[in-house]
Amino acid sequence: MKERHFLTASLLVACITVATPAVAENPVLKVGFVGVTSGPAAAWGISNQRSMEARAAWINETGGYRIGDATYDIEIVSFDDQKDPKRAIAGMEKMAQEGIRYVVGPNVDDGAAAVRPVAESRGIMYFPYAFPKELYSAPASNAVLGMVANYQSGPAIYRYLKDNRA
C-alpha cells in the first residue's frame, strides 16, 4: 500500500513539473525618472512617473522587452527633484551610481539644464520635458526632446494643411 501511495505521489509531482514549465527570469533594464513629484508642480512629474510604471508593468506582464538577442524586464527607478535644479543633479547622480543609462526628465527647463554635465560625463541619455535649444544642439549630445511644443509643430502642421487644402 505504501508503494502505491509513493507511486501516485511521484506521478503527481512529475505531472506538475511537466505541466509547469520553468520560468526563467529576464535580466532587468532599469529606466530612470528624475522629476518633480511633490509640491505645487507635482502633477507634471506624477503623470510621467505613473505612465512609465504602467507601461513597464504591461511590458513585463507580456514577457519583457526584446533588445537584440536578450529580453528584459523593465524597472522604473524614480527620484523626486522637488522642482529644484540641485536636487535634479542629485537625482541624475543617483541614476549614474545605479548604472542607469536612460532617464526620463527632468520636466522643467532649469532642472534639465542643470543635469546636462552629469548626463554627458556619465553617458546617460535623457529625455527632458524642456525647450532650451542648447540642450539639443552641439556640443550637447545626450538629451532627446521629450515633448514637442506647439511653436515647433505648428509650422509643419500649417504647411501640410495649406499644401493639402485640408
Side-chain angles (χ1 to χ4, degrees), residues 39-88:
W44 292 348
I46 290 171
S47 64
N48 290 145
Q49 180 181 349
R50 288 187 180 159
S51 297
M52 291 173 68
E53 291 167 349
R55 180 66 173 141
W58 183 28
I59 288 169
N60 296 342
E61 288 169 9
T62 58
Y65 191 82
R66 188 165 185 80
I67 301 173
D69 293 332
T71 301
Y72 296 87
D73 285 337
I74 306 299
E75 178 184 334
I76 305 302
V77 178
S78 298
F79 185 91
D80 178 13
D81 70 12
Q82 301 172 354
K83 201 172 177 275
D84 178 345
K86 290 178 183 170
R87 295 243 337 132

Short mmCIF file of all heavy atoms in Angstrom, two decimals, residues 39-88:
data_model
loop_
_atom_site.label_atom_id
_atom_site.label_comp_id
_atom_site.label_asym_id
_atom_site.label_seq_id
_atom_site.Cartn_x
_atom_site.Cartn_y
_atom_site.Cartn_z
N GLY A 39 4.92 68.83 -4.11
CA GLY A 39 4.77 70.28 -4.15
C GLY A 39 3.76 70.72 -5.20
O GLY A 39 3.06 69.91 -5.81
N PRO A 40 3.70 72.04 -5.47
CA PRO A 40 2.67 72.60 -6.33
C PRO A 40 2.74 72.13 -7.79
O PRO A 40 1.73 72.13 -8.49
CB PRO A 40 2.87 74.11 -6.26
CG PRO A 40 3.93 74.36 -5.26
CD PRO A 40 4.52 73.05 -4.84
N ALA A 41 3.90 71.72 -8.27
CA ALA A 41 4.04 71.28 -9.67
C ALA A 41 4.06 69.76 -9.80
O ALA A 41 4.41 69.23 -10.84
CB ALA A 41 5.31 71.88 -10.26
N ALA A 42 3.67 69.06 -8.75
CA ALA A 42 3.78 67.59 -8.72
C ALA A 42 3.02 66.89 -9.85
O ALA A 42 3.44 65.83 -10.30
CB ALA A 42 3.29 67.07 -7.37
N ALA A 43 1.93 67.47 -10.29
CA ALA A 43 1.12 66.80 -11.33
C ALA A 43 1.94 66.51 -12.58
O ALA A 43 1.72 65.48 -13.24
CB ALA A 43 -0.10 67.64 -11.68
N TRP A 44 2.88 67.38 -12.93
CA TRP A 44 3.72 67.14 -14.11
C TRP A 44 4.47 65.83 -13.99
O TRP A 44 4.44 64.98 -14.85
CB TRP A 44 4.73 68.26 -14.29
CG TRP A 44 4.20 69.60 -14.66
CD1 TRP A 44 2.94 69.90 -15.09
CD2 TRP A 44 4.92 70.82 -14.62
NE1 TRP A 44 2.83 71.23 -15.32
CE2 TRP A 44 4.02 71.83 -15.04
CE3 TRP A 44 6.21 71.17 -14.28
CZ2 TRP A 44 4.40 73.16 -15.13
CZ3 TRP A 44 6.59 72.50 -14.38
CH2 TRP A 44 5.69 73.48 -14.80
N GLY A 45 5.18 65.72 -12.88
CA GLY A 45 6.03 64.55 -12.70
C GLY A 45 5.27 63.28 -12.36
O GLY A 45 5.64 62.20 -12.81
N ILE A 46 4.22 63.41 -11.57
CA ILE A 46 3.45 62.21 -11.19
C ILE A 46 2.86 61.56 -12.42
O ILE A 46 2.87 60.32 -12.54
CB ILE A 46 2.38 62.56 -10.15
CG1 ILE A 46 3.05 62.89 -8.81
CG2 ILE A 46 1.38 61.42 -9.98
CD1 ILE A 46 2.12 63.46 -7.76
N SER A 47 2.37 62.36 -13.36
CA SER A 47 1.81 61.77 -14.59
C SER A 47 2.91 61.05 -15.38
O SER A 47 2.67 59.96 -15.93
CB SER A 47 1.11 62.82 -15.45
OG SER A 47 2.02 63.79 -15.91
N ASN A 48 4.09 61.62 -15.44
CA ASN A 48 5.22 60.95 -16.11
C ASN A 48 5.55 59.64 -15.42
O ASN A 48 5.66 58.59 -16.06
CB ASN A 48 6.48 61.82 -16.10
CG ASN A 48 6.42 63.03 -16.98
OD1 ASN A 48 6.97 64.06 -16.62
ND2 ASN A 48 5.77 62.95 -18.12
N GLN A 49 5.73 59.70 -14.11
CA GLN A 49 6.14 58.53 -13.35
C GLN A 49 5.10 57.41 -13.46
O GLN A 49 5.44 56.26 -13.72
CB GLN A 49 6.36 58.90 -11.89
CG GLN A 49 6.78 57.72 -11.03
CD GLN A 49 6.97 58.10 -9.57
OE1 GLN A 49 6.98 59.27 -9.22
NE2 GLN A 49 7.09 57.11 -8.73
N ARG A 50 3.84 57.74 -13.27
CA ARG A 50 2.79 56.70 -13.32
C ARG A 50 2.66 56.11 -14.71
O ARG A 50 2.41 54.91 -14.86
CB ARG A 50 1.47 57.27 -12.82
CG ARG A 50 1.48 57.50 -11.33
CD ARG A 50 0.14 57.91 -10.81
NE ARG A 50 0.21 58.12 -9.37
CZ ARG A 50 -0.65 58.85 -8.69
NH1 ARG A 50 -1.66 59.43 -9.32
NH2 ARG A 50 -0.53 59.01 -7.40
N SER A 51 2.81 56.94 -15.73
CA SER A 51 2.76 56.41 -17.10
C SER A 51 3.90 55.44 -17.35
O SER A 51 3.70 54.38 -17.95
CB SER A 51 2.83 57.56 -18.12
OG SER A 51 1.71 58.40 -17.98
N MET A 52 5.08 55.79 -16.88
CA MET A 52 6.23 54.91 -17.04
C MET A 52 6.02 53.59 -16.30
O MET A 52 6.31 52.52 -16.82
CB MET A 52 7.51 55.60 -16.54
CG MET A 52 7.96 56.77 -17.40
SD MET A 52 9.34 57.65 -16.65
CE MET A 52 10.64 56.41 -16.80
N GLU A 53 5.52 53.68 -15.08
CA GLU A 53 5.30 52.47 -14.28
C GLU A 53 4.24 51.57 -14.91
O GLU A 53 4.39 50.35 -14.94
CB GLU A 53 4.92 52.85 -12.85
CG GLU A 53 6.07 53.47 -12.09
CD GLU A 53 5.68 54.13 -10.78
OE1 GLU A 53 4.46 54.31 -10.53
OE2 GLU A 53 6.59 54.47 -10.00
N ALA A 54 3.17 52.19 -15.42
CA ALA A 54 2.11 51.40 -16.06
C ALA A 54 2.63 50.71 -17.31
O ALA A 54 2.35 49.52 -17.56
CB ALA A 54 0.91 52.29 -16.39
N ARG A 55 3.39 51.42 -18.11
CA ARG A 55 3.93 50.82 -19.34
C ARG A 55 4.94 49.71 -19.01
O ARG A 55 4.94 48.66 -19.65
CB ARG A 55 4.59 51.89 -20.20
CG ARG A 55 5.17 51.39 -21.49
CD ARG A 55 4.09 50.88 -22.43
NE ARG A 55 4.70 50.56 -23.71
CZ ARG A 55 4.36 49.53 -24.45
NH1 ARG A 55 3.37 48.74 -24.08
NH2 ARG A 55 4.96 49.30 -25.58
N ALA A 56 5.77 49.92 -18.01
CA ALA A 56 6.73 48.90 -17.61
C ALA A 56 6.01 47.64 -17.13
O ALA A 56 6.39 46.52 -17.49
CB ALA A 56 7.67 49.43 -16.52
N ALA A 57 4.95 47.82 -16.34
CA ALA A 57 4.19 46.66 -15.86
C ALA A 57 3.58 45.89 -17.03
O ALA A 57 3.62 44.65 -17.05
CB ALA A 57 3.09 47.12 -14.89
N TRP A 58 3.07 46.61 -18.00
CA TRP A 58 2.47 45.96 -19.17
C TRP A 58 3.53 45.18 -19.96
O TRP A 58 3.31 44.03 -20.34
CB TRP A 58 1.80 47.01 -20.04
CG TRP A 58 1.07 46.47 -21.24
CD1 TRP A 58 0.49 45.25 -21.38
CD2 TRP A 58 0.85 47.16 -22.46
NE1 TRP A 58 -0.09 45.14 -22.62
CE2 TRP A 58 0.12 46.30 -23.31
CE3 TRP A 58 1.19 48.43 -22.93
CZ2 TRP A 58 -0.27 46.66 -24.59
CZ3 TRP A 58 0.78 48.79 -24.20
CH2 TRP A 58 0.07 47.92 -25.02
N ILE A 59 4.66 45.81 -20.19
CA ILE A 59 5.75 45.14 -20.91
C ILE A 59 6.17 43.88 -20.16
O ILE A 59 6.34 42.81 -20.76
CB ILE A 59 6.95 46.09 -21.10
CG1 ILE A 59 6.61 47.17 -22.14
CG2 ILE A 59 8.21 45.33 -21.50
CD1 ILE A 59 7.60 48.31 -22.21
N ASN A 60 6.34 43.99 -18.86
CA ASN A 60 6.78 42.85 -18.05
C ASN A 60 5.74 41.72 -18.05
O ASN A 60 6.09 40.55 -18.14
CB ASN A 60 7.11 43.28 -16.63
CG ASN A 60 8.29 44.24 -16.59
OD1 ASN A 60 9.06 44.34 -17.54
ND2 ASN A 60 8.41 44.96 -15.50
N GLU A 61 4.46 42.09 -17.99
CA GLU A 61 3.39 41.08 -18.00
C GLU A 61 3.32 40.33 -19.33
O GLU A 61 2.87 39.20 -19.37
CB GLU A 61 2.05 41.74 -17.70
CG GLU A 61 1.89 42.17 -16.26
CD GLU A 61 0.66 43.04 -16.04
OE1 GLU A 61 -0.18 43.18 -16.96
OE2 GLU A 61 0.55 43.61 -14.93
N THR A 62 3.75 40.98 -20.39
CA THR A 62 3.69 40.35 -21.71
C THR A 62 5.01 39.70 -22.10
O THR A 62 5.22 39.37 -23.26
CB THR A 62 3.25 41.36 -22.79
OG1 THR A 62 4.16 42.46 -22.82
CG2 THR A 62 1.85 41.88 -22.53
N GLY A 63 5.90 39.53 -21.14
CA GLY A 63 7.12 38.77 -21.40
C GLY A 63 8.40 39.57 -21.46
O GLY A 63 9.47 39.01 -21.60
N GLY A 64 8.31 40.89 -21.40
CA GLY A 64 9.52 41.71 -21.41
C GLY A 64 9.75 42.42 -22.72
O GLY A 64 8.94 42.34 -23.65
N TYR A 65 10.85 43.15 -22.79
CA TYR A 65 11.19 43.97 -23.96
C TYR A 65 12.44 43.40 -24.60
O TYR A 65 13.48 43.28 -23.96
CB TYR A 65 11.41 45.43 -23.52
CG TYR A 65 11.51 46.37 -24.68
CD1 TYR A 65 10.36 46.85 -25.30
CD2 TYR A 65 12.74 46.77 -25.18
CE1 TYR A 65 10.43 47.71 -26.37
CE2 TYR A 65 12.82 47.63 -26.27
CZ TYR A 65 11.66 48.10 -26.86
OH TYR A 65 11.73 48.94 -27.93
N ARG A 66 12.34 43.09 -25.87
CA ARG A 66 13.45 42.44 -26.58
C ARG A 66 14.39 43.50 -27.17
O ARG A 66 13.96 44.41 -27.87
CB ARG A 66 12.91 41.55 -27.69
CG ARG A 66 13.97 40.71 -28.33
CD ARG A 66 13.31 39.60 -29.16
NE ARG A 66 14.28 38.70 -29.71
CZ ARG A 66 14.87 37.73 -29.06
NH1 ARG A 66 14.57 37.51 -27.80
NH2 ARG A 66 15.75 36.94 -29.64
N ILE A 67 15.67 43.34 -26.86
CA ILE A 67 16.72 44.18 -27.43
C ILE A 67 17.79 43.22 -27.93
O ILE A 67 18.43 42.53 -27.13
CB ILE A 67 17.32 45.16 -26.41
CG1 ILE A 67 16.23 46.08 -25.85
CG2 ILE A 67 18.44 45.98 -27.04
CD1 ILE A 67 16.70 46.96 -24.70
N GLY A 68 17.97 43.15 -29.23
CA GLY A 68 18.92 42.19 -29.79
C GLY A 68 18.49 40.77 -29.47
O GLY A 68 17.35 40.39 -29.71
N ASP A 69 19.37 40.01 -28.87
CA ASP A 69 19.08 38.61 -28.52
C ASP A 69 18.56 38.45 -27.10
O ASP A 69 18.29 37.33 -26.67
CB ASP A 69 20.34 37.75 -28.70
CG ASP A 69 20.75 37.64 -30.16
OD1 ASP A 69 19.86 37.74 -31.03
OD2 ASP A 69 21.95 37.45 -30.42
N ALA A 70 18.45 39.53 -26.37
CA ALA A 70 18.02 39.45 -24.96
C ALA A 70 16.63 40.06 -24.79
O ALA A 70 16.25 40.98 -25.51
CB ALA A 70 19.02 40.16 -24.06
N THR A 71 15.91 39.55 -23.81
CA THR A 71 14.61 40.10 -23.43
C THR A 71 14.71 40.56 -21.99
O THR A 71 15.16 39.82 -21.12
CB THR A 71 13.50 39.04 -23.58
OG1 THR A 71 13.47 38.62 -24.95
CG2 THR A 71 12.14 39.62 -23.22
N TYR A 72 14.30 41.80 -21.75
CA TYR A 72 14.46 42.42 -20.44
C TYR A 72 13.12 42.71 -19.79
O TYR A 72 12.15 43.06 -20.47
CB TYR A 72 15.20 43.76 -20.58
CG TYR A 72 16.60 43.63 -21.09
CD1 TYR A 72 16.87 43.62 -22.46
CD2 TYR A 72 17.67 43.51 -20.21
CE1 TYR A 72 18.16 43.49 -22.93
CE2 TYR A 72 18.96 43.39 -20.68
CZ TYR A 72 19.20 43.38 -22.04
OH TYR A 72 20.49 43.26 -22.51
N ASP A 73 13.08 42.61 -18.47
CA ASP A 73 12.00 43.19 -17.69
C ASP A 73 12.42 44.62 -17.40
O ASP A 73 13.61 44.90 -17.24
CB ASP A 73 11.79 42.42 -16.39
CG ASP A 73 11.10 41.09 -16.62
OD1 ASP A 73 10.41 40.92 -17.64
OD2 ASP A 73 11.25 40.20 -15.77
N ILE A 74 11.45 45.50 -17.34
CA ILE A 74 11.72 46.93 -17.13
C ILE A 74 11.42 47.29 -15.68
O ILE A 74 10.38 46.93 -15.14
CB ILE A 74 10.85 47.80 -18.06
CG1 ILE A 74 11.00 47.37 -19.54
CG2 ILE A 74 11.16 49.28 -17.87
CD1 ILE A 74 12.39 47.50 -20.08
N GLU A 75 12.35 48.00 -15.07
CA GLU A 75 12.16 48.51 -13.71
C GLU A 75 12.33 50.02 -13.76
O GLU A 75 13.33 50.53 -14.29
CB GLU A 75 13.19 47.91 -12.77
CG GLU A 75 13.09 48.43 -11.34
CD GLU A 75 14.18 47.90 -10.43
OE1 GLU A 75 14.72 46.80 -10.70
OE2 GLU A 75 14.51 48.60 -9.46
N ILE A 76 11.35 50.73 -13.22
CA ILE A 76 11.42 52.20 -13.17
C ILE A 76 12.00 52.61 -11.82
O ILE A 76 11.51 52.19 -10.77
CB ILE A 76 10.02 52.83 -13.36
CG1 ILE A 76 9.37 52.33 -14.66
CG2 ILE A 76 10.11 54.35 -13.32
CD1 ILE A 76 10.16 52.59 -15.92
N VAL A 77 13.04 53.44 -11.86
CA VAL A 77 13.67 53.97 -10.65
C VAL A 77 13.39 55.48 -10.65
O VAL A 77 13.80 56.18 -11.57
CB VAL A 77 15.19 53.70 -10.64
CG1 VAL A 77 15.82 54.33 -9.40
CG2 VAL A 77 15.46 52.21 -10.71
N SER A 78 12.67 55.95 -9.65
CA SER A 78 12.23 57.35 -9.62
C SER A 78 12.96 58.16 -8.56
O SER A 78 13.37 57.63 -7.53
CB SER A 78 10.73 57.41 -9.34
OG SER A 78 10.02 56.76 -10.35
N PHE A 79 13.07 59.46 -8.86
CA PHE A 79 13.70 60.40 -7.92
C PHE A 79 12.92 61.71 -8.00
O PHE A 79 12.81 62.30 -9.08
CB PHE A 79 15.17 60.63 -8.30
CG PHE A 79 15.90 61.50 -7.31
CD1 PHE A 79 16.58 60.93 -6.24
CD2 PHE A 79 15.92 62.88 -7.45
CE1 PHE A 79 17.26 61.72 -5.32
CE2 PHE A 79 16.60 63.68 -6.54
CZ PHE A 79 17.27 63.09 -5.47
N ASP A 80 12.41 62.17 -6.87
CA ASP A 80 11.68 63.44 -6.80
C ASP A 80 12.67 64.58 -6.67
O ASP A 80 13.34 64.71 -5.65
CB ASP A 80 10.73 63.42 -5.60
CG ASP A 80 9.97 64.72 -5.42
OD1 ASP A 80 9.96 65.58 -6.33
OD2 ASP A 80 9.34 64.88 -4.34
N ASP A 81 12.76 65.40 -7.72
CA ASP A 81 13.70 66.52 -7.65
C ASP A 81 13.08 67.76 -7.01
O ASP A 81 13.75 68.78 -6.85
CB ASP A 81 14.30 66.83 -9.02
CG ASP A 81 13.32 67.43 -10.01
OD1 ASP A 81 12.20 67.84 -9.64
OD2 ASP A 81 13.69 67.50 -11.20
N GLN A 82 11.81 67.70 -6.65
CA GLN A 82 11.11 68.79 -5.95
C GLN A 82 11.19 70.11 -6.72
O GLN A 82 11.12 71.18 -6.13
CB GLN A 82 11.62 68.93 -4.52
CG GLN A 82 11.45 67.67 -3.72
CD GLN A 82 12.12 67.74 -2.35
OE1 GLN A 82 12.82 68.70 -2.02
NE2 GLN A 82 11.92 66.71 -1.56
N LYS A 83 11.38 70.02 -8.03
CA LYS A 83 11.50 71.20 -8.91
C LYS A 83 12.68 72.09 -8.51
O LYS A 83 12.68 73.29 -8.70
CB LYS A 83 10.19 72.01 -8.94
CG LYS A 83 10.05 72.90 -10.15
CD LYS A 83 8.66 73.49 -10.21
CE LYS A 83 8.55 74.45 -11.37
NZ LYS A 83 9.00 75.79 -11.06
N ASP A 84 13.72 71.44 -8.00
CA ASP A 84 14.93 72.13 -7.56
C ASP A 84 16.10 71.62 -8.40
O ASP A 84 16.40 70.42 -8.37
CB ASP A 84 15.15 71.83 -6.08
CG ASP A 84 16.42 72.46 -5.51
OD1 ASP A 84 17.30 72.90 -6.29
OD2 ASP A 84 16.56 72.47 -4.28
N PRO A 85 16.78 72.49 -9.15
CA PRO A 85 17.89 72.04 -10.00
C PRO A 85 18.98 71.28 -9.25
O PRO A 85 19.55 70.33 -9.79
CB PRO A 85 18.44 73.34 -10.60
CG PRO A 85 17.30 74.29 -10.54
CD PRO A 85 16.52 73.92 -9.31
N LYS A 86 19.26 71.66 -8.01
CA LYS A 86 20.28 70.95 -7.23
C LYS A 86 19.82 69.53 -6.92
O LYS A 86 20.62 68.59 -6.96
CB LYS A 86 20.60 71.70 -5.94
CG LYS A 86 21.35 73.00 -6.19
CD LYS A 86 21.61 73.75 -4.91
CE LYS A 86 22.30 75.07 -5.25
NZ LYS A 86 22.38 75.94 -4.10
N ARG A 87 18.54 69.36 -6.63
CA ARG A 87 18.01 68.01 -6.39
C ARG A 87 17.98 67.21 -7.69
O ARG A 87 18.18 66.01 -7.69
CB ARG A 87 16.60 68.07 -5.78
CG ARG A 87 16.58 68.68 -4.43
CD ARG A 87 16.14 67.83 -3.28
NE ARG A 87 15.32 66.69 -3.56
CZ ARG A 87 15.57 65.48 -3.05
NH1 ARG A 87 16.62 65.28 -2.29
NH2 ARG A 87 14.77 64.47 -3.30
N ALA A 88 17.74 67.89 -8.82
CA ALA A 88 17.76 67.20 -10.11
C ALA A 88 19.16 66.63 -10.37
O ALA A 88 19.31 65.50 -10.84
CB ALA A 88 17.33 68.14 -11.23
#
